[in-house]
Amino acid sequence: MDFYVFLLRLYPRGFRERFGAGMRRAFAQDLAAATARGPFSRATFLAASAIHAVWFGTLERLPRGPVMRSFFQFDLRAASRSLRATPIVTAVALVSLALGIGANTALFSILNSLVLKPLPVRAPEELVRIDDGSWTNPIWEGIRNQAPTFTAGAFAWSATSFNLAKEGEVDRVDGAYASGDVFQTLGVTAAIGRLFTSADDTRAFGPDGPVAVLSYRLWQQRFGGDPSVIGRSLLIERHPFTVVGVMPSSFEGVDIGRVSDVIIPVSTDAWINGKDTALDSRTSWWLEIWMRLPSGKTIDEVTLALNAARPGIRDATLPKEWPAKFQDRYLKDPFKLVPSATGDSALRPRYAQPLTVILFVVGAVLVIACANIANLLLARATARRHEMSVRLALGASRARLARQLLAESLILATAGGLMGLAVAQFASRLLVGQLATSVSTVTLDLSPDWRMLAFTAAVSFGTAILFGLAPALGVSRVAPNEALREQSRSVTGDRRFGVRSALVIAQVALSLSLVVAAGLFMRSFVSLTTQPLGFDPSNLLVTTVDMRQSAATPAERRALYERIRDAVASVPGIRHSAISQITPVGGSSWNGQGKVEGGLEVSGKAAEYWVNPVSPGWFETYGMRLLAGRDVAATDTETAEQVVVVNETFAKRFIGGGNPIGRVMIADADFPEARRVRIVGLVSDAVYRNSRAGIYATAYFPFLQGGGVSSSFRISSNIATDRPSARRALASALTQVDGRLSYSFRDLSDQVRASMAQERLVAMLSGFFGALALLLAGIGLYGVTSYAVNQRRTEIAVRIALGATATSVVRMVLGRTGWLVATGVIIGAGLSYWAAKFVGALLFGLTPRDPMTLAMALVALASIGVLAAWLPARRAARMDPSSALRD
Amino acid sequence: MDIFATLKPAAFHILLALAERDLHGYAVMQAVRQQSGGSIPLQTGSFYRHLSTLIDEGLVIEAPAPKGDDDPRRGAYYRVTARGRQALAAEQARLTGLVARMKKLNLGAK
């Protein structure tokens, strides 16, 4: 039904208001009848309704005058009749268009919702955000207190996830901490209940106690849309919150690509996290700060006002324990505001560029498809030369004939565009499903908006011109007297062959670039997946344990950690297990700067190393080799000598290679907490963040010397049994230690796969569209070669009759096509060379002008070209000259 | 409009359906489909175009909904105006004339 409301928009407003209700009812009843007849009837009915709406909606918008009437009632009708007369050509053209336009629209709709769509809030263009990451709560409070003087509202936002489970394994939903004025500033009002305000955002809570706001989606999914959810208690991180309201379905938070299902006030962090709260920390950077520009004020004016307030805010929030150098930078660093009408998204930096590249790829595929349709229509126009010349002879104007051919293209493009919209609805959802990984979900609002419709309309119209112009111009070359010599045979062929050859050359050139691009992306992906990780993820199960809700105080956590460690060690079905703060490709990281005494002089980026506190046996669990020295040991406690195990890259970076055992490393060299640590072991290299980032210089500290046992850590288990029973065994072991622990499981191999999601997506899509381009170019070549062979039938027959061998005929035909392919390939190689600079950033392990890939693409195109030309060539060589000459 | 001009087949069938009694849009469509035995392929889009033309020409007007039908989703009811009946009468005269002429040709008997 929404579909028809949407179609009704095609009618002028007055008409819609007058008849809308009746039309909706008529549509609903006919739809019900069609649905009862079966799914095919239903689909046909929906398609027909869409076409009718476009047709009659347009008619109603036009003045009821004679000129329009002539175009709409005669030209378009004649065009649609003639299209129906050649159903196969029309169907092929429509399917190519629907797929081409659909793929383009699908990608555009993803880019649209990711990058272009403004947030569904009041006056989104007034929203700005302090650039570059997150800020501490003290800074936010400082800004909040001053904001009323220079903004029309400000709020803090921190995207996170919340555990809604009562006990045991976590039940995570995406959510956010937001400051009290978030909804007022954004101008969002509740679907039901109320949204929280600054009165709720205090550590003593508001009148309703600790409150939470739900997304419309969560309300529907978990509470069945039951309005009695208001006032109910909801456990968030095992703390009872009162649900006070549900956000409207349009607003799902300020992060694009993720739905904030649960939003709670910033100050409730003190309640949830107790002593670990980030509220008073001057070094916990977790809040994004958003503002609304007052009307009439520019972003520069507000930036100026904000920075005028900066010294006071910075002074009051200075991290006292920092070294002077950092404090100085902290005080001087200015605030920068960026326009944020389209919200914020972690997906943008990751996917905006690959999706743009793919959008160009599908654009090129559409152009190639258009060339094929143009060729098809040209062939059709040639077959209709007789009809055209008769009509010219009878007095029709050339303009009239051209108008009808344009009308045909217009109908094809409009129908193709409508079908493309339907394809896009399906394809874009499929694509978004591919963006999500086992590790993170992606939710994008893909509902059609005016941008998407304008894009589709522009693409459809553009394609109509692309494939419709050549046949329409061809009409002007038809001579009236041609009707008289329709049966004559020509030896020279057809002038329009030139146009068709040019089209094929363009197709070959474009598809070569696409095949090169596909080759580059696929080889990047292969080299990424074959990159050694340095460990074997296949049997590794990672358990994240969160001790925050256990009864243990921070001081008692060490004992709890040891109990957990011992309990996990005795779980059956686990070969090895060990604990670490960080797991490879797990998404979190920890780095520091330092040096090794008597080692190389390093500074800046080169002095950077990456930290992972691990328990004994961690290397064994991951299958990493100890090359020298020893593993961290159970005796490496807080009071023992500070030690560290480093990897090969670390040894190379800081001492230039060789055996580092016994050397002293200065960790966190620039900070007051700098400490001297003895290197006791050397392990083989392993990936820290992801394969693309490569191997980092890594320092593995003993878990207990890693700055205290923090509230959560990860257990890596090398399992010998199946995953579900390992999970069950681990869960029951953890619950036995402390029923209030929360934990979640993740397979390391899933995480490794997720870390390559972007490359996989690009490789998959470019491979698919590259193959499609190759296929389309092949069809184009085949079509144009068959046509040429048909045109030269007489000539070839004469040659055969005069004694030409089959081989020489094949060679002649292939030579002609070879010339087309060669020209196209040269242009395409140039095109690839030029386009290379745009894809460099997306490649891994090869240069954008990789000669090997180009060679492979050349071979692929040449093979397709030979195959496409060989089929008609063989037919020509086998032709019976006497029958050909008799015709 | 010249009410003595020939009515388009779809318009004629719509007027005919409404001449019997006031109907809402979808009921008119259904009636036309039945009367014409499917020979007038009336779809929502084309029907409302014809209807709006008939209203603009003053042959049909909106009518109040009959008692007992307060379903707001059905859309408006429509009624034939006096002018509409004249147009139907003119069509009747025209068709009667044609039928009379055809009868003389005695096409039915073979």
Side-chain angles (χ1 to χ4, degrees), chain A residues 251-268:
Chain A
F251 182 77
E252 303 184 315
V254 294
D255 310 293
I256 306 301
R258 76 193 274 289
V259 177
S260 294
D261 278 324
V262 173
I263 301 184
I264 55 179
V266 167
S267 56
T268 57

Side-chain angles (χ1 to χ4, degrees), chain A residues 24-42:
Chain A
R24 274 205 302 278
R25 178 196 165 118
F27 171 79
Q29 300 225 345
D30 280 347
L31 179 63
T35 308
R37 284 195 298 274
F40 182 74
S41 267
R42 180 186 164 87

Side-chain angles (χ1 to χ4, degrees), chain A residues 543-555:
Chain A
T543 315
T544 303
V545 179
D546 185 344
M547 303 197 288
R548 279 179 305 175
Q549 305 311 329
S550 80
T553 63

Side-chain angles (χ1 to χ4, degrees), chain B residues 18-46:
Chain B
L18 285 174
E20 240 171 87
R21 61 194 164 99
D22 296 355
L23 290 168
H24 60 75
Y26 188 66
V28 183
M29 274 170 71
Q30 286 294 62
V32 173
R33 286 171 184 172
Q34 275 164 19
Q35 277 172 18
S36 68
S39 69
I40 307 279
L42 213 48
Q43 296 299 332
T44 309
S46 51

Side-chain angles (χ1 to χ4, degrees), chain A residues 47-101:
Chain A
S49 299
I51 291 169
H52 285 155
V54 171
W55 174 250
F56 288 106
T58 314
L59 276 185
E60 289 301 335
R61 282 175 188 277
L62 293 171
R64 295 188 172 183
V67 177
M68 285 299 177
R69 188 162 275 174
S70 113
F71 183 71
F72 276 87
Q73 299 202 330
F74 299 107
D75 291 331
L76 279 184
R77 279 197 184 167
S80 83
R81 246 197 320 271
S82 97
L83 282 175
R84 266 181 305 211
T86 50
I88 299 203
V89 171
T90 306
V92 169
L94 273 181
V95 169
S96 332
L97 271 178
L99 290 178
I101 296 176

